[in-house]
Amino acid sequence: MTVALASRLELPPSIFGRLRLLLATVFLIGALGALAAAWTLSKRAATDAYDQLLISSATQISEAITAENGQYSVLPPDSAFETLAQSKDDRFFFAVRAPDGSLLTGEPGLLPGSRHQVDGLPSLDYIDDDGETMRTVTIHRFIASLDTKGWSSVVVAQSLGARYQLVARLMLRIGAIIIFVAALGFLASLEAVKRALRPFDRIGHALSSRRAQDMGPIEVESPTETRALVDTINHTFHRLNERLNKLQNFAGVAAHQIRTPLAALGAQTELLLTDQTAQSRRKRVERIRAHLGKISRLTHQLLGQAMVSYRIDRIPHQEVDLVELVRHVLRDAVPESLSRDLVVEFDYAAPRIPVPGDDINLREALANLVNNAVTHGAVTMLRVRIDEGSDQICIAIADDGPGIASQLWDTATQPFQLPRTEGEGAGLGLSIAADVAKAHGGMLAFAWTAEKLFEISFIVARSAPLEKAA
Amino acid sequence: MRILVVEDTADVGEGVVECLEALGHAVDWARDGETADEWLRDTGYQLVVLDLMLPGFDGLTLLRRLRERRCETPVLILTARSAIDDRIGSLDMGADDYLVKPFDFRELQARVRSLLRRHSGGRAAELKCGKLVFDRSARTVRIDDVPAKLTRRELSLLEVFLARPTMVFSKAQLLDQLFGFSAEPTENSIEVLITRLRRKLAGSGVEITAQRGIGYHIVET
Amino acid sequence: MRRLPAIIGAAILLLGIGGAVAFHAASDRDPEGDYSPPAGALVTYLPADEDDQGLPLVISGSIEAGFMRPFLLAFQRHNPRLSLVYIQSRNDALLERALWACQQRERTADIYLTSSTDHLVRLANENCATTLPSAIGQAAPAKASWRDQVVAFTVEPAVFVFTRELEGPLPPSHIALLDWLRGFPSDRARVGTYDIELSADGYDLAASDSNQDALYGRLLEGLGRSNIRLYCCSNVMVDALDRREIFFAYNVQLSYAYKAQRAGSRITVILPDDYQALQTLSFMLPKRPRDPDRALKLAQFLVSDEARAIAGHNLVPPGMSPKLAAAQADRLLAQASVTPLLLSLQDRARREHLIREWREAISPVRPEGGNSVSRTSARN
């Protein structure tokens, strides 16, 4: 049922449509409210005005009551009739009664609306006459002469036509003004909204009319309110462009990296077929195995890179315990088949060091670093230490291997920038680790320790990093 | 040791089987999940090498069933999917280790050896002897609650002794457990390793003693 | 209500080409109301020229049938299939009957016509009238109508009428009249006027006079000093002039005076030029009319230009040049008025006061023959 209701109350699809609906509602309610108020006030004004006339005529009649020789008499004055006739099309009656209740003149059926006898004080009421509502006013008047005295009464009743007409006349004018003002306000607001939304149309037009290859900033005249939007769009284009350039570059280098060992593999396989001696064949096979290993690692790293960059963009960060994570990495990333024997040390500042992050990316990054250290570096020892800073966590991975020459540190994190002259790696491991560190609000740092150990620091932020500002 | 290899790709399976037989194990090769499940119910294996992508039901299902039967046979997962989710998933499901294809066969041998070694003497997480505590999952040793700087081979050797504290191991057995048949190290390197270990264990209340002519075993002093 | 035995058993005069057409529709008491003419009424039947189309249109009026006849015949020319019955009663009787019918929720007629517009205004004030289309009120002379219920269709001014033998200049205004009357010894000044106590028309005209505050007292005094005789009706007054019973009649209805003049009476008619005491003739449809469409047709006709022309013709002396005649008719018709102020004429206290004042000033001499107040003057 709520679904049906929701679909029936579906909002218009555009902002303009919604604002128009909102404005129409507001102005309609406002106009109706104003009309209701005007109606109430007009009615009160008309009632007051005509009540005064009615009271005035009753007063005039009551002042014409006289008592002489014990006889009460009344001669309703012309002015009373003239006052009543001001409500041009209204019916009226009156009844004048002597203190003993006898009718002096007028309509016998019209009785005083009030028994409250205060001299000259009118009391107002409504009565029903043959289905038509009439306004009545009753005035009591104390009449005294030499031989008699008492309360006489005057009742005047009049139909309400003139009041209705006055209300209708007032409402026609006031209503026209209210509706005019509301309509004007509504149209002005619509125009204002239309103008306010125009820059969005311009931006949309500028975006849709450009060629797909065009990555330059869009040039539209935009007020300060939409400046930020245009800047963001241009910035996004800029980043997209950079990324596409990088991707193109990466694809080129990756192609080279994959095709070269494949070509070597092909060549060595051909030669294997022509090799005559078992020893030369064995040498050939060893070389083939080396190339295969290279391709395997490269594939592994390329896929890892793809996964990492996918996850950097998509996966929300959760709490990750770095101690547990590093423990797993050390177990997984140090090959069992390593011919060298190693001391693997792991120090940490606290039993649990939670940070917001992506579990799998952190694992991939640290596994790359540890694997690099073990396969290319560490001679006798590998040391991993987790240090807690006030707003950063540093995972330092140190080994007693040759390390990376200081002059290569700046470029070591670029993809395919092989930091070692005769390395086996494809040169993606550090790049992946650097990307992950950056996505976690940190960085990758290189250093030589006091014990002459080569140390790579993987730094992440303690709290959630601001949304990738690059 | 009896090892079950579950692998549908013939070329890979053949390599894995040969490689493990070269270590001196008896190897059965199942080419799909259902067969493997059946064999696992009937036969007691010391290790399962399991490919995740299988015809029939996949490796994870097989693994789940295995663990549901409370069978604690160590499982080494082989996976071609680089998504690390697979690895994590399989570890959570109760796999003991994994290798991502393509892999180096020497690494496979090393992992298998390591797994068999670790699973000898039960699956206790910690091995204790005197003031020495061996944390098998973290692969660390603490003496008097102070971390001892043991190399990986020293750790492995210590683990072999600690897992079967009453047993006496010959040099050949130790060599086999640590390096495998095809390894180059000699009995001499075992002696060197034991000497280094003895030095590092000084003051731990644990000593490796030699039974002349028979081999070595661990004693608490 | 006084009922003189002489007039019980009303004279029913059937005027018509067929002559002997049975007038049964109005005499039966049908469930739609009592349409039978009351005692003392004069019934005029105008049958349809062509086939009768159902019931006749029953008109209840206090205006003399002879005055209404040209209007009704002209109306019938446009509606040849419509029979008309005109029931003429005295003004008071008409009011009384109409009020009774309204209170009983009955019907006595399809339309009311009267020279005492205050009666119709009172009926409308009592909620006894049907509201007409506003176009009818707008078409009335001087747009004189109230609530679109009571609508004027012509006027009846009061005039001075003298016998032709009088010498010297005749007074053209009320003030001049007072001076002129003073020239006669009081016993020789044989003057006639309405008995306003008995005649509603007379009362209306006296009330109209009483609006002239400055003059009214002197007028009553002047008339009161003369040898005054009181009459029921204008035509009786004109007859009395013809017989030289009186030599001056005050407040004679203009249409009677001109009619008598046309018929050869030796009288002089003067329309006073300072002001005219004046009656507005009007019509009204009772509430819940039996056949509103046909009554409405008559109402529409009475405010049409054709009816206006007939009304104008009645308002001008015979032999007047058409241009002057039109001007005089227009001037008089422009004085038509239908307002709630007429209700003051219906107020009991004011009525008694007016009559008492009038009665105190005017002590009449009963005219010879003693029949001047008879209410049946069935001659046309």
Side-chain angles (χ1 to χ4, degrees), chain C residues 17-72:
Chain C
I17 302 145
V21 177
F23 179 60
H24 56 87
S27 59
D28 286 350
R29 187 184 162 104
D30 64 54
E32 296 187 323
D34 183 5
Y35 279 73
S36 61
L42 217 63
V43 178
T44 306
Y45 181 49
L46 300 174
D49 283 352
E50 297 169 23
D51 289 343
D52 199 340
Q53 204 183 37
L55 293 169
L57 184 68
V58 179
I59 305 154
S60 179
S62 70
I63 305 163
E64 200 212 348
F67 181 87
M68 282 312 296
R69 205 174 150 76
F71 288 97
L72 299 181

Side-chain angles (χ1 to χ4, degrees), chain C residues 65 159 169 194 197 235 287 369 373:
Chain C
V159 291
Y194 270 113
E197 230 177 325
N235 53 348
K287 215 170 178 101
V373 292

Side-chain angles (χ1 to χ4, degrees), chain A residues 211-256:
Chain A
R211 288 177 303 120
Q213 297 89 338
D214 187 358
M215 291 287 169
I218 52 171
E219 299 286 350
V220 287
E221 186 275 317
S222 74
T224 45
E225 285 84 354
T226 54
R227 194 70 250 173
L229 175 66
V230 173
D231 286 349
T232 308
I233 290 171
N234 284 340
H235 186 69
T236 307
F237 269 117
H238 179 69
R239 270 171 60 189
L240 186 62
N241 194 26
E242 256 184 2
R243 228 181 238 207
L244 287 175
N245 287 341
K246 256 163 121 180
L247 194 64
Q248 200 174 11
N249 207 22
F250 182 88
V253 180
H256 170 78

Side-chain angles (χ1 to χ4, degrees), chain A residues 247-317:
Chain A
L247 194 64
Q248 200 174 11
N249 207 22
F250 182 88
V253 180
H256 170 78
Q257 295 283 335
I258 295 168
R259 282 183 179 135
T260 305
L262 278 178
L265 207 56
Q268 295 298 324
T269 316
E270 284 299 323
L271 290 170
L272 182 63
L273 294 174
T274 59
D275 272 335
Q276 301 298 315
T277 64
Q279 200 192 347
S280 61
R281 275 187 194 143
R282 186 174 173 77
K283 269 174 82 180
R284 200 69 76 196
V285 170
E286 288 294 337
R287 287 168 77 170
I288 288 172
R289 186 152 77 170
H291 284 302
L292 274 175
K294 203 166 179 176
I295 292 175
S296 296
R297 274 189 299 280
L298 179 63
T299 307
H300 183 82
Q301 283 191 329
L302 282 173
L303 292 173
Q305 161 95 16
M307 182 199 67
V308 162
S309 54
Y310 164 79
R311 291 186 69 94
I312 282 177
D313 287 339
R314 307 283 163 93
I315 305 297
H317 286 183

Side-chain angles (χ1 to χ4, degrees), chain A residues 105-117:
Chain A
T105 188
E107 182 68 32
L110 189 62
L111 299 171
S114 136
R115 300 240 160 266
H116 192 60
Q117 294 173 335

